Amino acid sequence: MTSLPPAFEERMKTILKEEAGAFFQALQTPPPVSIRLNPEKPMDFPSEDTPLPADQVAWCEDGIYLNERPTFTLNPCFHGGAFYVQEASSMFLEQAIKAYVKEPVRCLDLCAAPGGKSTHLASLLPDGSLLVSNEVIRSRSYVLAENIAKWGHPDTIVINNDPEEIGEALPHLFDVIVTDVPCSGEGMFRKDTDSTGEWSVDNVRLCASRGRRIIHDIWNALKPGGILIYSTCTYNTEEDEENIHYIIEELGAEALPIPTQEEWQITGTLRFEHPVYRFFPHKTRGEGFFLAALRKAEGEIEEIRVKSKGKKERGKAAPSIPQEARQFLSDETSFSLEWNDSFLRAYPKAHSDLFSLINAKPLRVLSAGICLGEAKGKDFIPSQELALSAALTPNAFPSVELEWEDAIKFLKKEALVLPSGTDKGYVLVRYQGLPLGFVKNLGNRANNLYPQEWRIRTGYIPEEIKLFL
């Protein structure tokens, strides 16, 4: 049973009136489990013997409900980026993007960790778009970079900056900015019962104020005429409708309608008359969620100035590109290959100016494009990012298909014994056709190259492994 703060209960009774009883009852039921499939990585598995349920999330083309929560940690397809575990209500972002993004854009996901909305955006944005995913908390930014790498989309950059730094460094750069602002988390009370102990009216007010500051800080990075998508996972009007009204009144934005269907049972505004979209668990199959789309007023676009590199840096001679590296990518002509210290990266040529711009700015770039590998002496070690990239040439490396037990050993960074006759050198290991990473086959043994920080840490293996339900 979820124990709720009395002040929260009173506030929800005021908001929901006669629906409050159904709302509180819904909070005492198990939360739904949902995943979103990666269209770039269709699975050979599940098969006819282990099918996925056909219960689709109505507002998300690739969203699927599961009957109960399976053992995601022990599912190699999860680690290979074939799907993302995401709360169903937050997948409503898809409807806002489809309504207002028709051409390639430069998109910023501002508060992006752990990566649910960023991986969704990577799949949703029109071909030719660039996605910049940011997380201000350093430890969470590494989790974000890992999940972006697993999703495998090359037109991405991951940075670790404060919104104010981005607003100052990249004026009027982005056509779309998604801001899932930090909030009081009321919509997650059913899923995270411990969070109820951190809730207070004062914290609601603090979060509302923080949300306004974040929008102010990032507003300059949005192009005139660009789209801002504002969302929270909370119910109160201070963090939701009142902040939307503030953005409209203070920043001159226009709130935009998003097409919905009546059977989705999405709730409209509780204050003011602006088009906003709310999810309540007693009406929709998901957790609490709020979203609004706003358009910035038209105006002049500020030009970004980049300082030229110093003579010393300009004159550096870059090492030659290994010839085999050019064959790693299925469409090598679409990428420019550049060294970053000892690491070779592939940047989509369509965005070469933006990659150069962001690298030149005082921003903390964690990843950009695809890391192809690292040069160590005469050896070139292919990277985990390359293994998981949707741009990898399918037959660029010899590969070995692993059964579940060996796939888990690989993901725990344990030693593997490859089948006799396997080519020596770097070998791509797969599970159900899905690339998981590289090993270096020495003949009598294989060195596991899975990243140490990504490894499965649990030592517990249940008797029955439930991969999908």
Side-chain angles (χ1 to χ4, degrees):
M1 299 286 286
T2 302
S3 178
L4 301 172
F8 170 75
E9 290 191 2
E10 289 303 313
R11 287 161 64 91
M12 293 308 298
K13 288 176 183 176
T14 301
I15 287 175
L16 290 173
K17 300 180 175 59
E18 65 275 6
E19 291 184 32
F23 169 78
F24 293 128
Q25 185 176 359
L27 291 188
Q28 305 307 323
T29 62
V33 181
S34 50
I35 64 173
R36 183 172 39 76
L37 303 179
N38 186 345
E40 294 288 339
K41 298 186 177 184
M43 293 180 285
D44 294 341
F45 165 85
S47 65
E48 292 181 1
D49 297 326
T50 53
L52 275 172
D55 204 354
Q56 184 177 350
V57 177
W59 44 86
C60 177
E61 185 175 345
D62 295 313
I64 293 176
Y65 292 105
L66 304 182
N67 296 329
E68 58 181 279
R69 193 174 186 87
T71 315
F72 289 124
T73 302
L74 298 176
N75 188 333
C77 295
F78 170 67
H79 296 276
F83 65 91
Y84 193 96
V85 184
Q86 185 178 9
E87 203 286 306
S89 297
S90 67
M91 299 181 197
F92 182 68
L93 171 66
E94 180 166 319
Q95 298 304 315
I97 295 295
K98 286 183 174 179
Y100 293 103
V101 182
K102 309 295 186 182
E103 303 292 336
V105 293
R106 301 169 181 178
C107 178
L108 170 67
D109 186 4
L110 182 64
C111 311
K117 290 182 178 62
S118 277
T119 54
H120 199 180
L121 287 164
S123 297
L124 282 175
L125 295 174
D127 289 345
S129 297
L130 175 69
L131 173 65
V132 178
S133 300
N134 175 71
E135 172 55 44
V136 66
I137 299 173
R138 179 61 66 93
S139 59
R140 286 169 56 84
S141 69
Y142 292 119
V143 176
L144 170 64
E146 176 183 339
N147 286 326
I148 292 291
K150 287 177 176 177
W151 205 247
H153 201 286
D155 296 319
T156 55
I157 300 174
V158 179
I159 59 176
N160 166 226
N161 286 91
D162 187 272
E164 186 176 11
E165 295 173 319
I166 302 172
E168 291 176 356
L170 304 175
H172 298 175
L173 181 69
F174 297 103
D175 306 284
V176 179
I177 296 181
V178 175
T179 56
D180 189 45
V181 296
C183 66
S184 58
E186 297 167 347
M188 293 290 110
F189 281 178
R190 177 169 60 168
K191 189 175 180 181
D192 180 12
T193 55
D194 292 340
S195 64
T196 59
E198 301 172 5
W199 184 92
S200 69
V201 174
D202 285 343
N203 191 44
V204 166
R205 292 168 180 157
L206 176 65
C207 289
S209 175
R210 183 188 297 131
R212 292 193 295 274
R213 177 187 65 80
I214 288 171
I215 299 303
H216 263 288
D217 288 345
I218 203 61
W219 193 247
N220 193 48
L222 183 63
K223 276 184 180 179
I227 303 295
L228 176 84
I229 297 174
Y230 177 100
S231 65
T232 72
C233 57
T234 203
Y235 302 116
N236 66 77
T237 59
E238 293 98 318
E239 296 176 75
D240 294 342
E241 280 92 342
E242 291 179 36
N243 271 4
I244 296 303
H245 187 69
Y246 178 88
I247 295 168
I248 292 169
E249 292 295 309
E250 294 297 318
L251 300 177
E254 173 195 5
L256 302 173
I258 299 171
T260 62
Q261 296 183 26
E262 186 175 349
E263 57 266 29
W264 297 352
Q265 297 193 65
I266 297 173
T267 302
T269 186
L270 301 178
R271 282 203 65 186
F272 309 109
E273 297 300 321
H274 313 306
V276 300
Y277 304 86
R278 291 174 153 279
F279 288 70
F280 285 110
H282 66 293
K283 298 176 72 173
T284 55
R285 192 176 173 186
E287 299 298 75
F289 185 65
F290 172 92
L291 184 142
L294 304 109
R295 189 188 303 279
K296 188 174 184 176
E298 295 287 352
E300 292 186 5
I301 295 179
E302 182 178 341
E303 183 180 347
I304 304 176
R305 296 182 179 178
V306 182
K307 292 182 180 179
S308 61
K309 296 181 179 180
K311 290 182 180 179
K312 185 177 180 181
E313 189 173 352
R314 275 204 311 266
K316 278 186 177 180
S320 60
I321 305 296
Q323 189 57 40
E324 67 271 19
R326 299 185 182 278
Q327 300 168 12
F328 294 162
L329 302 171
S330 55
D331 185 10
E332 186 267 329
T333 59
S334 297
F335 294 87
S336 59
L337 276 54
E338 298 179 17
W339 287 102
N340 186 343
D341 295 325
S342 62
F343 293 92
L344 183 62
R345 305 202 72 93
Y347 301 112
K349 288 181 179 178
H351 308 299
S352 57
D353 58 334
L354 293 179
F355 280 95
S356 298
L357 171 66
I358 290 175
N359 278 322
K361 287 292 181 177
L363 300 174
R364 291 181 289 277
V365 179
L366 273 64
S367 68
I370 311 165
C371 179
L372 299 184
E374 181 181 10
K376 283 196 173 181
K378 295 182 179 180
D379 200 6
F380 184 80
I381 306 169
S383 76
Q384 183 66 19
E385 281 186 34
L386 176 63
L388 298 178
S389 176
L392 173 67
T393 301
N395 299 318
F397 297 88
S399 65
V400 170
E401 187 74 23
L402 301 180
E403 295 297 325
W404 178 85
E405 292 80 3
D406 281 336
I408 295 300
K409 283 184 180 180
F410 173 76
L411 294 167
K412 295 176 78 171
K413 201 173 172 60
E414 295 178 355
L416 290 180
V417 177
L418 300 183
S420 61
T422 301
D423 292 346
K424 289 185 180 181
Y426 294 105
V427 176
L428 185 69
V429 297
R430 301 175 181 269
Y431 174 74
Q432 300 288 349
L434 183 70
L436 298 180
F438 289 108
V439 298
K440 187 173 185 180
N441 185 28
L442 304 176
N444 57 339
R445 62 186 174 87
N447 290 343
N448 190 333
L449 301 182
Y450 197 69
Q452 181 76 11
E453 62 274 16
W454 291 15
R455 73 192 189 283
I456 296 175
R457 290 171 171 81
T458 181
Y460 172 69
I461 305 294
E463 290 185 8
E464 183 183 3
I465 305 296
K466 297 178 180 180
L467 298 182
F468 287 106
L469 295 158

